Amino acid sequence: MPLLGSFSLVLALALSVYCFAAGMVALFRHGPSYERLGETARRAGIAVWACITIAAAVLVAASFQNDFSIAYILHHSNRDLSAPYK
């Protein structure tokens, strides 16, 4: 499961770079092809949100499963914490 979270974050990084670059090109150029490029940049932004949401869900699930293979869980959680504090 940690691999899913890591892959999701790497994909979000790549999509955000594309979103920024395509958005800048579409902003300063005009024409029908650039309008489509702006639309793909917008959709890439939505995909970034989805990827970050998946990564956050993986982190929360790992916290509740006491998966100490993730460094954040290892350093900021323990088995004695109750559910609201995890």
Side-chain angles (χ1 to χ4, degrees):
M1 189 149 76
L3 269 141
L4 175 64
S6 296
F7 176 75
S8 178
L9 287 176
V10 169
L11 183 60
L13 176 64
L15 285 169
S16 65
V17 168
Y18 172 77
C19 178
F20 179 76
M24 286 293 116
V25 170
L27 182 65
F28 294 114
R29 305 280 179 148
H30 300 290
S33 62
Y34 294 112
E35 289 177 15
R36 287 192 300 262
L37 186 64
E39 180 63 24
T40 62
R42 186 185 70 82
R43 290 182 183 180
I46 294 170
V48 168
W49 174 82
C51 288
I52 297 297
T53 301
I54 290 169
V58 166
L59 187 63
V60 168
S63 176
F64 281 115
Q65 293 173 355
N66 293 318
D67 184 0
F68 296 112
S69 66
I70 299 174
Y72 182 84
I73 305 298
L74 179 66
H75 295 296
H76 295 93
S77 181
N78 63 46
R79 294 183 194 277
D80 296 333
L81 285 176
S82 59
Y85 296 109
K86 286 192 175 197

